Amino acid sequence: TDSSFWKDPIVAAIPPDEIISITYTYAGEKFSLKLVDSVWFVETEIGAEVARIDAVTELLNEIRQIVTRDFPEEEDIAELDWSMPHAMLAIEVGEGSSARSVLLSFLQKGTNPEFYVKDMSKSWSYFLNEEDVSAILKTKQDFVDIPVTAPTPYPTSTSGN
C-alpha cells in the first residue's frame, strides 16, 4: 500500500485575518512581520519599518493553504536532520482564532531549489517544489521599499554676484 495515501497534503492552512505575526529565521538573518493596529511592520533587532502591503498580502494568501504536491520517500526521511534547518517560519495567530500557530522548518534538498518542509508538531514531512517555496520563503528586502535616491544636482557657483 502507498504510505502517503493516509497523509494529509495540507502543510498548513491559516486564515489570513487570524495571523498576527510571521517570523523568518535563517542562518544569518531573522526578521518578523507583525500586525500592529491594522498596519504590518517588518521588525529586526535594529528596528521596525512599515511593510509593503502588496508583499504581505501575497504571502498571507499563500499561507491560507500550503499544499504539498508530493511526500518524501521513506529512505529520504530517515536521513533528514531537522536540528539544523535551512529556514524556519513561525506563523502566530491571535487569541480566539480557529487555526493554531505553526512552526515550519525547511531543509533544502541537496543543492536543488526544492525543500523538505515539516510542521514541527507533526511526525511526517512534506516536499515543496521551487515555485511553492519561493512564494513562502522570503527575505526582509521582499517586504520593504527600496529607497530611491534622487540624483545629486551639480553644485552651482554662488560666487561672482
Side-chain angles (χ1 to χ4, degrees), residues 24-44:
Y24 286 90
T25 306
Y26 298 100
E29 178 182 31
K30 181 175 182 173
F31 70 94
S32 296
L33 298 170
K34 292 196 175 174
L35 185 60
V36 180
D37 297 328
S38 303
V39 178
W40 283 96
F41 288 88
V42 178
E43 288 187 0
T44 64

Side-chain angles (χ1 to χ4, degrees), residues 4 15 20 28 32-33 36-38 41 47 49-50 54-55 61 68 81 83 88 94 98 112 125 151-152 161:
S4 62
I20 59 169
S32 296
L33 298 170
V36 180
D37 297 328
S38 303
F41 288 88
E49 55 189 299
V50 175
D54 60 319
N61 285 330
T68 185
D81 178 5
S83 67
M88 292 181 77
S98 63
N112 295 328
S125 304
T152 307
N161 290 356

Side-chain angles (χ1 to χ4, degrees), residues 8-11 66-72 117 125-128 132:
D8 183 357
I10 298 172
V11 179
I66 304 169
V67 180
T68 185
R69 288 176 174 53
D70 202 5
F71 290 93
V117 62
S125 304
Y126 303 92
F127 181 73
L128 291 178
D132 294 335

Side-chain angles (χ1 to χ4, degrees), residues 63-150:
I63 292 172
R64 177 187 305 270
Q65 190 162 331
I66 304 169
V67 180
T68 185
R69 288 176 174 53
D70 202 5
F71 290 93
E73 298 295 326
E74 293 299 323
E75 58 270 14
D76 292 338
I77 292 171
E79 296 176 13
L80 299 178
D81 178 5
W82 292 103
S83 67
M84 294 291 289
H86 169 85
M88 292 181 77
L89 180 61
I91 305 164
E92 186 182 348
V93 297
E95 264 188 62
S97 295
S98 63
R100 63 177 179 79
S101 295
V102 175
L103 177 61
L104 300 176
S105 286
F106 294 81
L107 284 174
Q108 194 164 1
K109 184 178 179 184
T111 57
N112 295 328
E114 301 163 327
F115 285 79
Y116 298 104
V117 62
K118 180 176 174 65
D119 174 337
M120 297 310 285
S121 71
K122 296 178 182 173
S123 60
W124 61 89
S125 304
Y126 303 92
F127 181 73
L128 291 178
N129 65 24
E130 179 180 10
E131 181 184 344
D132 294 335
V133 169
S134 66
I136 301 165
L137 285 187
K138 302 290 186 182
T139 65
K140 176 183 174 249
Q141 283 66 39
D142 292 322
F143 298 103
V144 294
D145 286 319
I146 291 135
V148 178
T149 53

